[in-house]
């Protein structure tokens, strides 16, 4: 029985590798033939309509309209709202999550209705958040996250993921951008949580909401780890070409057998 499952898993893995290779070949061919330019040009024209306006340089003369550092979340959100860009920003961001993380078709009226509902509630939440003692808006504080966990009766999962994120931050190799890696991980967790939330409604029992949110947080964390410790790592210079090949084979074996191989010695050992 185990041999049959292993053979099926191996065949599935080879099929996934084949599809990935075909996709890469297709992208490379478009680049070589210069056939991607038409679609890209059309996308840029659509983007320009919302992002580039005539005489936009005049806004630089007004201090209140100068774009702040996006890392200053409070000021950046306030600037987006003051310049009338917050609605479009939230619409693009939430639409992207629905398309990428939830796999929803953006031309669906039902999907658009849900997106606009979340945009409205998110903007209301941002604008209504109180400012804490240190000057930070409440919506980016750990206290606010914990209160959400209390509301949904998943305090244990929230504390668990907070501790996990701290552990990830301390184990990201110096060759990687730790801040960017954590941001990707958090976005994946948020995407999985939103996916679960989108499947529930006001009639969903509290116990069911708690169970599903708890599972979503833990699943999102496990899935999100693949970004800093697989994709980003294999794209970095932290490992040699030989070590990257060895690491890829180890991941393959772990997926097929369900057992994580021993990392051995060398630079790869630092990932333990």
């Amino acid at each position: 029985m185990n041999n049959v499952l292993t053979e099926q898993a191996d065949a599935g893995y080879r099929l996934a590798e084949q599809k990935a290779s075909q996709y890469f070949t297709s992208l490379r061919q478009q680049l070589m033939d210069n056939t991607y330019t038409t679609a890209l040009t059309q996308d840029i024209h659509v983007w320009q309509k919302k992002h580039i306006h005539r005489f936009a340089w005049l806004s630089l003369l007004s201090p209140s309209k100068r774009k702040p550092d996006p890392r200053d979340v409070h000021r950046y959100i306030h600037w987006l709202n003051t310049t009338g860009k917050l609605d479009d920003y939230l619409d693009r961001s939430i639409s992207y999550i629905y398309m990428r993380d939830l796999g929803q078709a953006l031309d669906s009226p039902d999907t658009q209705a849900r997106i606009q509902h979340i945009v409205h509630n998110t903007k209301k939440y941002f604008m209504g958040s109180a400012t804490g003692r240190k000057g930070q808006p409440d919506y980016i504080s750990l206290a606010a996250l914990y209160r959400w966990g209390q509301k949904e009766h998943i305090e244990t999962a929230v504390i668990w993921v907070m501790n996990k994120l701290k552990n990830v931050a301390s184990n990201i190799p110096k060759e990687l951008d730790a801040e960017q890696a954590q941001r990707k991980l958090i976005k994946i967790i948020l995407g999985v949580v939103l996916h679960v939330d989108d499947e529930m409604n006001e009639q969903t029992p509290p116990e069911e909401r708690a169970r599903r949110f708890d599972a979503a947080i833990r699943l999102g964390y496990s899935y999100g780890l693949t970004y800093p410790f697989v994709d980003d790592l294999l794209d970095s210079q932290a490992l040699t070409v030989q070590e990257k090949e060895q690491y890829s084979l180890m991941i393959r074996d772990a997926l097929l057998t369900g057992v994580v191989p021993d990392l051995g010695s060398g630079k790869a050992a630092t990932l333990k």
Side-chain angles (χ1 to χ4, degrees):
M1 182 64 178
N2 289 336
N3 289 337
V4 173
L5 292 176
T6 301
E7 290 177 0
Q8 291 177 343
D10 188 58
Y13 194 93
R14 288 199 302 270
L15 179 61
E17 282 186 318
Q18 183 181 4
K19 289 182 178 179
S21 177
Q22 291 172 346
Y23 180 58
F24 177 78
T25 301
S26 174
L27 292 178
R28 186 174 185 277
Q29 193 61 46
Q30 290 181 44
L31 180 63
M32 298 297 293
D33 297 342
N34 209 29
T35 55
Y36 67 92
T37 53
T38 301
L40 183 59
T41 301
Q42 291 175 348
D43 289 342
I44 290 175
H45 285 318
V46 172
W47 177 84
Q48 285 178 329
K49 292 179 181 179
K50 287 188 175 182
H51 294 80
I52 299 180
H53 306 280
R54 295 183 63 189
F55 311 118
W57 57 272
L58 290 174
S59 64
L60 296 176
L61 301 177
S62 173
S64 64
K65 299 214 171 181
R66 291 176 185 167
K67 183 177 180 180
D69 189 336
R71 290 174 294 184
D72 187 342
V73 180
H74 188 201
R75 289 187 60 208
Y76 189 67
I77 292 293
H78 177 73
W79 174 80
L80 287 172
N81 187 52
T82 301
T83 55
K85 298 180 179 180
L86 182 57
D87 288 330
D88 284 343
Y89 175 81
L90 293 175
D91 183 84
R92 292 195 307 273
S93 300
I94 295 171
S95 294
Y96 181 68
I97 291 174
Y98 263 75
M99 178 181 65
R100 186 198 65 180
D101 298 318
L102 307 187
Q104 301 292 326
L106 297 184
D107 58 356
S108 165
D110 289 340
T111 299
Q112 281 300 318
R114 290 197 296 270
I115 290 173
Q116 293 310 312
H117 177 71
I118 294 178
V119 167
H120 174 76
N121 288 342
T122 303
K123 181 179 179 180
K124 182 179 178 181
Y125 179 64
F126 280 160
M127 295 299 99
S129 295
T131 301
R133 287 176 296 177
K134 294 184 179 181
Q136 285 190 329
D138 189 52
Y139 57 78
I140 60 172
S141 70
L142 293 178
L145 176 60
Y146 184 74
R147 282 198 297 273
W148 173 77
Q150 285 183 312
K151 176 185 174 183
E152 298 293 348
H153 307 291
I154 53 170
E155 301 99 313
T156 302
V158 170
I159 294 173
W160 177 84
V161 79
M162 286 181 180
N163 290 331
K164 288 293 186 180
L165 290 172
K166 291 178 183 178
N167 186 50
V168 168
S170 64
N171 283 281
I172 292 178
K174 65 181 185 300
E175 291 86 353
L176 301 183
D177 185 333
E179 182 178 342
Q180 182 68 11
Q182 292 177 82
R183 185 180 296 114
K184 290 180 181 179
L185 175 53
I186 292 171
K187 285 173 65 178
I188 291 297
I189 297 172
L190 176 60
V192 176
V193 170
L194 284 177
H195 192 131
V196 168
D197 184 58
D198 192 57
E199 294 176 341
M200 296 187 291
N201 53 45
E202 296 178 355
Q203 283 70 48
T204 304
E207 297 80 7
E208 176 70 7
R209 288 180 63 87
R211 184 188 67 78
R212 298 187 67 178
F213 274 139
D214 185 289
I217 289 173
R218 299 174 192 275
L219 175 62
Y221 169 77
S222 301
Y223 172 45
L225 281 179
T226 60
Y227 275 90
F229 292 122
V230 178
D231 289 8
D232 290 352
L233 186 59
L234 291 176
D235 289 339
S236 74
Q237 301 303 315
L239 303 176
T240 65
V241 174
Q242 182 178 359
E243 287 169 337
K244 289 180 181 180
E245 183 177 354
Q246 179 186 0
Y247 188 45
S248 297
L249 290 174
M250 291 169 61
I251 294 172
R252 180 181 186 277
D253 289 343
L255 291 173
L256 294 178
T257 64
V259 178
V260 180
D262 190 1
L263 290 173
S265 58
K267 286 186 180 180
T270 63
L271 298 175
K272 274 189 176 180

